[in-house]
Amino acid sequence: MPTIIAIDVSLSMTRPIPVAGSNTEDGLTYHHLAVQGVNNILDYLAKHSRLEFVSLIVYSSQYEVIVDFTRDYESIRQALHKIDHYDKTSLENVLVAVNNMFKTHWGSQNYCQIIFITDCGVGMGPSSLKNTIINLQNYKAQSSGTGSSAGAGTAKVPLSDNQWVGFSYPSKLTFMCLGNLADSAFKFGTKLYQQLLDVSGQNGQIFIPKLKSLSIEDPIGDDNDEFSKQLNRKCIQEMFENMCEQNYKQFEATLRCGGYFRLEGAIIIWPAPLPYTSKDLFGAETTKIISRKLELCGFISLSDIGSPMSISRHLILPRCNADKRLSAKDGNLNTEEKLESDIKGFYAKPDGSGGGGGDNDDDGSTGADSTRESVCVLLHGALKVENMAALVLLNDNWYGFIYSYADSKKKSNLMLNVLPPGNDVVPWLGDFRNFGILDDAFAGENPSFPIKAEKRSYSQNIVVWIRQAGLQSDIQKVLRHAKKLPEKTQHFYKELNRIRRAALSLGFVELLEGLAHIFEREAATLGGSASPDSGIQLKHAANELRKPCNRDLKAVIQALPTKYNQIA
């Protein structure tokens, strides 16, 4: 889940932070707060999400990529000290640049976090934020056909290369607003930024600092206290920490395997899986979320799985200190799970531990996490050695595969491949609900994959016209049979009916008229050495292709009886 951090470097970001008495706190500026915010984000990622790719860009009327996507957060910290400031703010230009930049590196299927750090400047002139919102509203109205211009039947205005109409990939747009709501200009800017999110329909959010004497619910406050409502480093740090906790929250789950006294372990799925929304035939949307309790159903060879279509791929990492939070979650466990937890806790106690041993267990002092058994380590080693994958139940009627994946010769990881919801989403494996272990197979039964049907419901000799050469080859085959009439009369009409059925099935009705013209031209150009039956049958076939009754798939064009082909 890559992250793009964009810093506003317009001249307004160089302003000093106003404080009581019209003084400045150590020359603190809005740019200093922006740099501090970036460092707060990097500190959080380094602690909780070290695999995150981050890119740093700056923007004013133009934009510049300072650091491309990298996991070396120290390079981003060093680049923060080399940032220069330019002219006015132009948000639309950088939005277009971010859209193109991410698609170039990651495509249109990956999820992206986009964080803008700004003092909510709105710009001026044609590139102002207000003008961007107006253009976006006009584009949405024309696209939906509800605008006045669309109602009048006028042509739609073409989309400019510098016009932003939303991101073409899953994303979350976040604006970190540096300012005080007591400032009328900042308050007006935050309203426009929120309006931009509403009009564009983007998944996004605006964060505003919570000052000591100012709350978001009462943004005006007392007029006498306006100068006491000031920005400081602490409130900015709290704002960025709140944003990171919301946007980069880890997806914690429990992986279970086995029967009643089963193996289980706390895991982290990274990046966090997104809700999956699907539509049925009637357009109704259904959203599904991966469960927090994953059940292993069985194991299957990687060669049998192949490369099925998947929604996303994730890393599975062991979660440390899970036992410390067990007591807090006991309220969500049913009776059987509580009993199972108590049994496991009893057998997990070391020999000779008295009443005080339970207190030590609650404090998490039984031993280091590195010496404890891990289901992830056991599962990863077994799957890697056996070259197999584990079928895992993600939710009701939703499955995935867990397997060992090596991105290099020395390092391998436990991966989760999320399949589309359903029981029969991998055609060559069949219905997952019908799976069983090899010991349960009947005598003489072939348990291998892919599953082969006893009787196929389709013809072996199918017609494929993906390329022009395939169609041309079939037509030439019919003409070769026509020139060898009357000996090839049955073959000629067999191939003709095959092409006719394929054309009608594909809706390629024009091909029938084209064949009729070809047959007539061939009949007129036949040489003297050709059999008279060739011309007769070609003209007959051309007439039959034009008849409306032969547009039925069940109809069959028969040969015309002549004295040459001796058909009674």
Side-chain angles (χ1 to χ4, degrees):
M1 191 168 58
T3 297
I4 298 177
I5 302 177
I7 302 179
D8 187 356
V9 291
S10 59
L11 293 177
S12 61
M13 291 290 291
T14 61
R15 294 175 298 156
I17 303 297
V19 294
S22 299
N23 296 323
T24 59
E25 181 184 354
D26 298 330
L28 187 65
T29 65
Y30 288 93
H31 176 72
H32 293 155
L33 297 180
V35 172
Q36 175 193 333
V38 175
N39 286 317
N40 292 336
I41 296 175
L42 297 179
D43 291 339
Y44 187 92
L45 295 180
K47 183 178 180 181
H48 298 92
S49 188
R50 292 175 294 177
L51 300 178
E52 193 80 20
F53 281 95
V54 180
S55 176
L56 178 66
I57 65 177
V58 296
Y59 71 96
S60 56
S61 61
Q62 302 294 328
Y63 76 95
E64 181 183 0
V65 179
I66 303 299
V67 180
D68 210 344
F69 289 101
T70 180
R71 288 175 176 168
D72 184 8
Y73 299 155
E74 190 61 31
S75 63
I76 300 179
R77 298 181 193 273
Q78 296 176 1
L80 292 174
H81 302 288
K82 304 176 183 179
I83 293 178
D84 296 327
H85 289 267
Y86 299 95
D87 50 358
K88 61 181 181 179
T89 301
S90 178
L91 186 62
E92 187 169 16
N93 290 338
V94 69
L95 287 173
V96 174
V98 167
N99 187 35
N100 298 332
M101 170 187 173
F102 186 82
K103 287 194 300 182
T104 301
H105 287 80
W106 300 91
S108 300
Q109 302 299 324
N110 288 279
Y111 186 84
C112 181
Q113 293 271 8
I114 306 169
I115 303 174
F116 280 82
I117 306 176
T118 177
D119 61 348
C120 291
V122 298
M124 60 185 69
S127 61
S128 64
L129 181 56
K130 187 174 183 180
N131 192 54
T132 299
I133 296 175
I134 294 175
N135 293 335
L136 189 58
Q137 290 174 335
N138 294 336
Y139 176 80
K140 296 288 185 180
Q142 290 179 356
S143 300
S144 60
T146 58
S148 59
S149 60
T154 56
K156 293 184 179 181
V157 179
L159 181 64
S160 173
D161 294 338
N162 295 326
Q163 184 177 352
W164 181 75
V165 294
F167 296 114
S168 55
Y169 45 82
S171 61
K172 183 172 184 180
L173 181 59
T174 303
F175 289 104
M176 309 302 295
C177 303
L178 309 178
N180 190 336
L181 285 177
D183 184 1
S184 58
F186 176 77
K187 185 178 179 180
F188 175 75
T190 55
K191 291 182 178 179
L192 283 182
Y193 278 81
Q194 183 62 52
Q195 186 179 1
L196 176 68
L197 293 177
D198 297 337
V199 172
S200 63
Q202 289 293 138
N203 178 23
Q205 190 176 357
I206 288 180
F207 288 86
I208 300 175
K210 293 183 179 180
L211 308 183
K212 293 182 179 179
S213 60
L214 179 63
S215 63
I216 298 178
E217 291 78 13
D218 184 18
I220 303 300
D222 296 332
D223 295 336
N224 297 331
D225 296 332
E226 285 186 3
F227 289 104
S228 63
K229 304 166 186 177
Q230 58 189 14
L231 288 175
N232 54 61
R233 294 185 179 273
K234 184 176 181 180
C235 66
I236 293 298
Q237 180 180 357
E238 293 176 353
M239 179 181 68
F240 277 89
E241 289 178 352
N242 183 27
M243 183 274 297
C244 291
E245 290 176 357
Q246 293 188 28
N247 292 3
Y248 298 96
K249 187 177 181 180
Q250 294 179 343
F251 189 90
E252 300 179 352
T254 301
L255 183 62
R256 295 180 173 179
C257 176
Y260 177 71
F261 192 78
R262 51 194 169 189
L263 297 173
E264 70 175 29
I267 62 172
I268 295 175
I269 300 178
W270 186 92
L274 302 175
Y276 181 79
T277 302
S278 59
K279 291 185 179 181
D280 57 13
L281 296 176
F282 302 99
E285 293 186 352
T286 303
T287 301
K288 304 193 70 172
I289 302 175
I290 293 180
S291 174
R292 299 283 179 171
K293 298 178 181 179
L294 308 183
E295 297 278 352
L296 290 186
C297 304
F299 303 92
I300 185 173
S301 175
L302 286 176
S303 59
D304 293 333
I305 296 176
S307 300
M309 183 185 70
S310 60
I311 299 174
S312 58
R313 293 190 305 171
H314 309 267
L315 282 174
I316 294 183
L317 307 172
R319 190 179 70 198
C320 301
N321 299 327
D323 294 338
K324 296 181 180 180
R325 295 187 292 270
L326 185 60
S327 59
K329 295 183 178 181
D330 284 345
N332 299 328
L333 301 178
N334 55 34
T335 305
E336 294 181 357
E337 291 175 334
K338 287 182 179 179
L339 179 60
E340 183 179 353
S341 176
D342 294 340
I343 294 175
K344 289 183 178 181
F346 174 79
Y347 283 105
K349 289 182 179 181
D351 296 337
S353 60
D359 295 336
N360 293 334
D361 291 342
D362 294 338
D363 295 336
S365 58
T366 57
D369 294 329
S370 59
T371 60
R372 295 182 181 179
E373 63 277 5
S374 173
V375 177
C376 290
V377 176
L378 175 63
L379 184 63
H380 176 263
L383 295 178
K384 184 177 181 180
V385 172
E386 298 294 335
N387 199 25
M388 300 185 74
L391 180 66
V392 58
L393 180 64
L394 304 177
N395 208 329
D396 295 338
N397 198 29
W398 196 3
Y399 295 86
F401 286 112
I402 296 179
Y403 58 97
S404 175
Y405 173 78
D407 55 359
S408 63
K409 295 182 179 180
K410 297 182 179 180
K411 185 178 181 181
S412 59
N413 305 286
L414 199 61
M415 298 288 294
L416 170 64
N417 196 8
V418 180
L419 300 175
N423 297 314
D424 194 2
V425 293
V426 184
W428 55 90
L429 295 181
D431 196 332
F432 292 145
R433 295 173 296 182
N434 298 331
F435 277 14
I437 60 177
L438 291 175
D439 297 339
D440 295 337
F442 295 104
E445 184 179 6
N446 184 17
S448 62
F449 296 99
I451 298 176
K452 297 181 179 180
E454 296 180 358
K455 184 177 180 181
R456 297 183 180 180
S457 59
Y458 53 88
S459 174
Q460 282 286 102
N461 191 13
I462 60 176
V463 179
V464 179
W465 291 336
I466 297 177
R467 297 178 181 176
Q468 182 180 357
L471 176 59
Q472 185 177 0
S473 176
D474 287 341
I475 295 175
Q476 289 176 348
K477 186 177 181 180
V478 175
L479 293 179
R480 286 196 302 269
H481 291 323
K483 293 179 180 180
K484 295 180 181 180
L485 294 174
E487 292 83 4
K488 297 291 185 179
T489 301
Q490 299 298 329
H491 296 82
F492 170 75
Y493 282 98
K494 179 181 178 181
E495 293 296 327
L496 177 62
N497 284 297
R498 185 175 70 92
I499 295 176
R500 185 185 61 86
R501 284 193 298 267
L504 293 175
S505 301
L506 298 174
F508 194 5
V509 184
E510 296 82 0
L511 178 61
L512 304 182
E513 183 63 27
L515 280 175
H517 283 295
I518 293 175
F519 290 159
E520 290 176 347
R521 186 179 61 183
E522 289 294 328
T525 58
L526 287 174
S529 60
S531 172
D533 200 28
S534 298
I536 296 174
Q537 297 296 343
L538 286 173
K539 291 180 181 179
H540 170 70
N543 294 331
E544 291 294 321
L545 287 174
R546 291 191 175 99
K547 290 183 179 180
C549 61
N550 288 325
R551 299 294 172 90
D552 187 3
L553 285 172
K554 297 180 180 180
V556 178
I557 299 178
Q558 300 292 344
L560 180 66
T562 64
K563 64 179 181 180
Y564 303 103
N565 57 23
Q566 298 178 357
I567 295 179

